[in-house]
Amino acid sequence: MGWFFLFFFLSGLCSILYEIVWLRLSMAQFGVTSALVSIVLSMFMAGLGLGSWGSGRLIRKHGDQLRIPALRLYALLELLIGVSALVVPRQLLWGRAILEHAGLSSSGAYYLVSGAWIALTLVPWCACMGATIPVAMLAIRQGFAGDSPRSFSYLYLANVVGAAAGSIAPLFLIELYGFHGTLRIGAALNAVLAGMAIALSLRLSAAKTAAAASPGMVVPISLPGSSRDRRALLLLFATGLTSMALELVWIRQFTPYLGTMVYAFASILGLYLASTFIGSQIYRRWCKTHKQEGQLLWVLIGLFAILPLLAVDPRIQSLPFSQVSIWPLLRLAIGIVPFSAALGFVTPMLVDRWSGGDPDRAGSAYAVNVVGCILGPLLSGFLLLPWIGERWASCLFALPWLLIGCWPGWSSDRQAASPVGPAQNQLSYVVALAAVVLIFISHGFEDQFQHRQVRRDNTATIIATGEGMNKRLLVNGMGITSLTPITKMMAHLPLAFLDRPPQNALTICFGMGTTYRSLLSWGIPSTAVELVPSVPRMFGYYHPDGPALLQSPLSHVVIDDGRRYLERTTDQFDVITIDPPPPVEAAGSSMLYSKEFYSIIKQRLRTDGILQQWLPDGDLQVRSAVARALKESFPYVRVLQYGPSWGFHFLASSRPIPNRTGAELVQRMPAAAIADMMEWKYEATPEQEFTYLLQRETSTGQLIAGDPLSPAMQDDRPVNEYFLLRELRSPAPATNAVASR
């Protein structure tokens, strides 16, 4: 049985590795939008559920006729999964080519076609992953009949601990080898798994006596403890829905304290899976001496679902112990470990209880759980979070468990149900009351801001706060931008360097709208592309003339992924200005600095057009990677630095960018643009504003020299996002000054 634990440990590691990388590759090909992410994750889970259900049904119908040992079928599945690591990236590229050829301009049609292609790409391969558990249960029944009644929980335990490792390992592998190199490592592990499974199959076959059943025959066994009560299936659906829905809530709740880096998301996923493993391990020991859970278990799940409200209460920051460096991780542990461990306990318990070791019933039960996992994020992300926010969404998901826990005599198995004493009933009521009290005494993140406007949508929670020049924009609690002249210069600098009067301009990332407002001050048609729908709605909070500017015939705001918009549009622009949201290490930000992105921009810039790329500092390798990507993409690049730690303006073009003095640049500006630039100023005159920058010009060569071995930023090598190994080798802060639009 130890071999099976090893198999499913490695299998779980590979499956999470593939999920992480495939999601990222899909985002690069089809866009960084919430809808796209939901499609990818839903198709991944749908494939798991379909494979689990389908393989269980096939084993039920044809298992007696099988003449191939189940271990060899398992080896074949692992081999196919390894093949998927190499094939899926190509399939995603083919899908992008098809969409480009189709020339879809409608977002609805685009999502429909891209979603269908992602389904065709992922579902068959993920079905192979889902099929491994029923097939392995059959193999255990063939070789270890005495261990089979609770074989699902055993495999689930191994799979979860492997998945926990898989949430961390890719962080280092991607930094060293890139996304495609990491996939090749995963494929090699699957091939090793297949080889080990075949070797074990041969060893077991050789050990059988002539009197044993034929290798392909299913050894009939009784199913002790199996339950026909469909309440177990209902609970499995609820556990899947609640766990995945709350994961989405947790990301919004804990982002203000953990940040937006891939390491923050990995912390949530890793801790969730590690806690699930602990709960599963507790169940494996508990089930040896217990037959039935008490109702207290269910009410505790409800309490634990609400516990993050206490963990993210901003008032905790004022307590002395909150100043320790590991407090953000401790806060996360308090919030999600109890709930995750409880779900890790009940999920294998319910599947074992329903299946009793039968692969068909285990596959069906697991598929029901997966259906809940698919619907949970959709319900949470597109309905509850936009309507009622993180706080009340948590409460709503906790409510059914509190009600179940307060229902006397509740059990997931009526046949095994035993009378519950008054003491346990009373304790359940006390716990439920404690959960209700916790709801009303805890504070939400936005409660700490006296002056605020809050908007929510399916992408993020937006907070506009502050007064005067101290106004701030927070997206999921992260400070994204502030009012600063730097963001005005992102528009005025490239427009003033053009050899002719500009006809139009585009800005990617709206922020407070400062750059967009400056573009409009030139009296030209201007387009802004913003991923988060609620962000442009805050325009008036920061700029009193914002609502009027949005109504201008020159104004065009698009809610979309900037990269996807550029791929779909046929418009040509004189200036494209880009200011990715800080920090520079933010997850997904590399796709706005990569060579692949710049190749798309070149197609949308007029021949003499100028790209303005803002880089909010970064370590030496990040600076080198961005500078090299621009140098390899454009023949002419100029770099202007605001100060020692204020970031860089990159100006890139296919035509020479002229050398002009500050006075010459000002002469090319309309009066409204000059007034806009001097609304907030560092220097006394507009000429001096430009001169300040021109005197601090550097070059791509100087930035590349800071780390000459750094590769150019590419989709496959997101140097800025994955930095932990190099930071450990050379401790230096990777964070930097705030960038703002």
Side-chain angles (χ1 to χ4, degrees):
M1 289 291 288
W3 282 99
F4 286 91
F5 192 95
L6 177 61
F7 293 163
F8 275 80
F9 171 84
L10 293 176
S11 182
L13 186 153
C14 290
S15 65
I16 293 295
L17 183 151
Y18 293 153
E19 181 181 10
I20 291 171
V21 177
W22 288 349
L23 174 60
R24 184 54 179 269
L25 295 181
S26 299
M27 291 162 63
Q29 302 304 331
F30 302 109
V32 187
T33 64
S34 295
L36 189 280
V37 171
S38 297
I39 289 171
V40 174
L41 296 181
S42 295
M43 292 306 103
F44 192 93
M45 297 303 298
L48 293 180
L50 182 63
S52 178
W53 173 80
S55 61
R57 294 297 299 270
L58 289 173
I59 289 171
R60 166 71 70 173
K61 291 183 177 181
H62 306 292
D64 291 341
Q65 305 166 17
L66 202 61
R67 292 296 176 264
I68 301 174
L71 262 175
R72 295 180 193 177
L73 289 178
Y74 172 78
L76 176 62
L77 288 171
E78 291 291 351
L79 202 58
L80 288 173
I81 295 168
V83 170
S84 74
L86 307 177
V87 173
V88 165
R90 293 184 176 274
Q91 290 179 285
L92 294 174
L93 280 172
W94 296 338
R96 176 182 174 180
I98 290 172
L99 287 171
E100 288 179 349
H101 182 73
L104 297 174
S105 58
S106 163
S107 289
Y110 182 91
Y111 283 128
L112 182 63
V113 176
S114 60
W117 184 264
I118 290 170
L120 290 172
T121 299
L122 297 187
V123 168
W125 301 114
C126 295
C128 293
M129 298 180 190
T132 55
I133 286 185
V135 171
M137 290 178 68
L138 176 61
I140 291 174
R141 187 192 294 187
Q142 289 178 349
F144 311 92
D147 293 315
S148 66
R150 294 188 177 89
S151 56
F152 176 86
S153 61
Y154 183 78
L155 300 177
Y156 180 84
L157 179 72
N159 203 245
V160 166
V161 70
S167 67
I168 303 300
L171 301 179
F172 304 103
L173 295 176
I174 293 169
E175 183 175 353
L176 293 172
Y177 306 110
F179 289 115
H180 288 81
T182 299
L183 286 176
R184 287 192 288 271
I185 292 172
L189 285 175
N190 284 121
V192 170
L193 273 175
M196 290 193 299
I198 290 175
L200 180 60
S201 172
L202 294 173
R203 178 181 172 186
L204 292 176
S205 296
K208 288 186 177 181
T209 63
S214 62
M217 296 295 291
V218 177
V219 179
I221 64 168
S222 60
L223 303 176
S226 63
S227 166
R228 297 290 177 179
D229 189 343
R230 294 189 178 274
R231 283 195 289 184
L233 292 180
L234 179 62
L235 287 171
L236 278 169
F237 173 81
T239 58
L241 185 147
T242 306
S243 62
M244 295 300 290
L246 284 178
E247 275 195 59
L248 209 59
V249 176
W250 294 339
I251 289 174
R252 293 205 190 185
Q253 287 178 320
F254 288 100
T255 292
Y257 309 104
L258 298 176
T260 57
M261 295 181 291
V262 292
Y263 301 102
F265 301 136
S267 298
I268 294 176
L269 180 59
L271 195 56
Y272 165 75
L273 291 169
S275 305
T276 302
F277 163 73
I278 293 172
S280 301
Q281 184 76 337
I282 293 172
Y283 162 71
R284 290 284 296 177
R285 296 184 179 181
W286 174 88
C287 68
K288 295 178 181 178
T289 55
H290 296 77
K291 297 288 185 182
Q292 186 64 39
E293 82 284 354
Q295 70 185 80
L296 181 61
L297 173 63
W298 307 109
V299 78
L300 282 173
I301 292 176
L303 173 65
F304 295 157
I306 294 173
L307 206 54
L309 299 183
L310 176 63
V312 301
D313 193 316
R315 294 174 297 177
I316 294 178
Q317 289 294 106
S318 61
L319 300 176
F321 60 79
S322 68
Q323 304 307 312
V324 298
S325 59
I326 63 170
W327 173 242
L329 288 178
L330 292 176
R331 186 194 289 267
L332 180 64
I334 293 170
I336 74 174
V337 165
F339 177 83
S340 304
L343 267 291
F345 183 97
V346 301
T347 300
M349 177 191 77
L350 293 168
V351 176
D352 277 349
R353 183 167 294 167
W354 176 259
S355 69
D358 183 286
D360 177 26
R361 301 187 74 195
S364 299
Y366 185 58
V368 168
N369 184 254
V370 167
V371 171
C373 291
I374 295 172
L375 294 179
L378 299 177
L379 175 64
S380 182
F382 291 95
L383 184 63
L384 297 181
L385 284 174
W387 285 7
I388 61 177
E390 303 88 348
R391 180 183 187 80
W392 295 109
S394 297
C395 299
L396 191 60
F397 287 120
L399 181 60
W401 301 106
L402 295 175
L403 295 177
I404 289 173
C406 292
W407 186 343
W410 172 270
S411 169
S412 60
D413 183 2
R414 292 175 184 172
Q415 299 173 6
S418 56
V420 179
Q424 188 171 145
N425 279 337
Q426 293 172 3
L427 185 56
S428 297
Y429 301 145
V430 170
V431 172
L433 180 61
V436 173
V437 171
L438 181 59
I439 293 171
F440 289 99
I441 66 171
S442 59
H443 284 193
F445 178 80
E446 64 269 21
D447 292 338
Q448 64 185 297
F449 304 108
Q450 183 177 3
H451 303 283
R452 65 179 184 269
Q453 289 185 16
V454 181
R455 290 183 182 269
R456 294 181 172 89
D457 54 49
N458 63 292
T459 304
T461 297
I462 309 302
I463 301 175
T465 184
E467 296 179 294
M469 290 296 292
N470 294 318
K471 292 177 181 178
R472 300 171 60 205
L473 172 66
L474 298 98
V475 178
N476 287 340
M478 292 297 298
I480 297 299
T481 181
S482 59
L483 299 175
T484 169
I486 295 175
T487 50
K488 290 179 175 292
M489 197 62 73
M490 292 176 189
H492 298 307
L493 190 65
L495 288 170
F497 265 111
L498 278 177
D499 269 338
R500 54 178 173 76
Q503 301 175 47
N504 61 0
L506 167 71
T507 181
I508 296 177
C509 303
F510 191 89
M512 287 181 170
T514 305
T515 303
Y516 186 55
R517 184 169 173 259
S518 296
L519 291 176
L520 289 169
S521 72
W522 282 69
I524 58 175
S526 301
T527 301
V529 183
E530 170 58 46
L531 183 63
V532 183
S534 295
V535 166
R537 298 171 189 163
M538 296 293 193
F539 196 13
Y541 185 90
Y542 304 106
H543 305 285
D545 57 351
L549 289 174
L550 291 178
Q551 299 301 317
S552 167
L554 300 176
S555 173
H556 182 45
V557 177
V558 179
I559 302 302
D560 202 349
D561 168 57
R563 182 162 166 166
R564 189 173 83 93
Y565 171 79
L566 286 170
E567 289 179 334
R568 291 193 302 121
T569 187
T570 57
D571 293 340
Q572 296 286 300
F573 299 96
D574 286 325
V575 163
I576 297 178
T577 177
I578 310 167
D579 179 18
V584 73
E585 306 88 8
S589 61
S590 65
M591 286 187 283
L592 295 180
Y593 293 113
S594 69
K595 286 182 65 176
E596 291 85 351
F597 181 48
Y598 295 145
S599 70
I600 298 169
I601 287 178
K602 287 178 69 175
Q603 299 173 33
R604 300 295 167 246
L605 272 177
R606 291 190 173 91
T607 306
D608 59 347
I610 296 177
L611 162 68
Q612 188 279 155
Q613 171 79 76
W614 170 255
L615 175 66
D617 206 4
D619 63 22
L620 293 178
Q621 187 166 2
V622 170
R623 297 183 191 181
S624 176
V626 173
R628 191 184 294 274
L630 281 163
K631 184 178 180 180
E632 294 178 3
S633 301
F634 292 90
Y636 303 98
V637 182
R638 295 183 65 176
V639 188
L640 306 174
Q641 187 174 9
Y642 246 107
S645 60
W646 285 11
F648 302 87
H649 285 293
F650 289 88
L651 300 179
S653 179
S654 297
R655 293 283 179 86
I657 301 173
N659 288 314
R660 293 196 174 102
T661 66
E664 290 172 335
L665 292 174
V666 173
Q667 289 175 1
R668 307 180 69 83
M669 299 176 67
I674 295 174
D676 175 84
M677 186 172 72
M678 298 306 292
E679 181 181 13
W680 319 318
K681 56 187 179 181
Y682 288 134
E683 303 294 333
T685 67
E687 292 84 356
Q688 290 174 337
E689 285 285 334
F690 281 125
T691 302
Y692 175 87
L693 268 177
L694 295 173
Q695 290 176 344
R696 287 162 178 78
E697 182 165 3
T698 180
S699 68
T700 55
Q702 289 176 290
L703 294 180
I704 292 171
D707 190 338
L709 299 179
S710 175
M713 190 80 76
Q714 302 176 51
D715 287 347
D716 190 55
R717 296 296 299 271
V719 174
N720 61 321
E721 297 180 47
Y722 296 86
F723 56 83
L724 189 58
L725 288 178
R726 71 174 184 266
E727 190 175 77
L728 292 174
R729 289 194 298 264
S730 178
T735 55
N736 43 62
V738 173
S740 342
R741 284 166 300 288

